[in-house]
Amino acid sequence: MKLIIAIVQDEDATHLISELMGEGFGVTKLATTGGFLRAGNTTILAGVEDDRFDACMAVIERVCKSRKQIATSPVTMGGATGMYAPYPIEVTVGGATVFVMSVEQFVKI
Ligand code: 2BA
């Protein structure tokens, strides 16, 4: 068994969960925050049997879209002022950031 930890954009989360549930996968949704954008995203936990791993990854790949977002990044203004001036940068977020772990034991009590 594998544990899939997928960090996805909030915009994709509802659709992804219903697609995964519709295909019989068990999922848990966590409300999370990205360290770089400091904006909300969604982390999906899915425990899947090895023979269904590819099917689960295929759903994630199909549903999760990449999008461009504007982030505000601070830059130091030169000289002795030590002041910070925010400036916009464009980043491409997603489709999904996925970690896959082998599950040693799965117990439901
Ligand atoms: P954030 O940390 O808010 O990052 C959002 C997007 O900003 C990233 O999209 C990437 O395009 C960009 N970005 C992140 N760090 C950057 C940096 N130091 N310099 C320039 N651009 C940067 P994704 O790569 O698709 O990541 C989406 C979210 O997935 C991240 O949100 C974070 O919550 C999670 N994530 C990504 N890599 C991770 C990792 N190695 N470990 C844990 N979580 C990760």
Side-chain angles (χ1 to χ4, degrees):
M1 183 180 229
K2 299 280 190 280
L3 175 64
I4 295 175
I5 303 171
I7 303 163
V8 306
Q9 294 172 78
D10 288 345
E11 293 91 327
D12 294 325
T14 304
H15 185 199
L16 178 60
I17 290 168
S18 60
E19 289 288 311
L20 289 171
M21 299 284 300
E23 295 204 20
F25 294 106
V27 299
T28 296
K29 172 189 174 188
L30 304 174
T32 46
T33 303
F36 186 70
L37 294 179
R38 314 264 167 95
N41 53 28
T42 299
T43 298
I44 302 291
L45 306 182
V48 299
E49 297 299 338
D50 289 343
D51 62 349
R52 301 207 63 212
F53 173 77
D54 289 344
C56 187
M57 292 296 286
V59 175
I60 296 170
E61 196 171 341
R62 188 177 76 238
V63 171
C64 296
K65 313 291 181 204
S66 69
R67 296 181 183 86
K68 292 192 186 306
Q69 289 193 23
I70 302 296
T72 304
S73 175
V75 63
T76 310
M77 297 177 79
T81 64
M83 290 175 64
Y84 285 88
Y87 71 101
I89 55 169
E90 188 179 76
V91 294
T92 301
V93 187
T97 300
V98 182
F99 299 89
V100 180
M101 304 173 76
S102 292
V103 174
E104 196 169 310
Q105 202 176 6
F106 172 59
V107 182
K108 276 189 179 177
I109 298 172

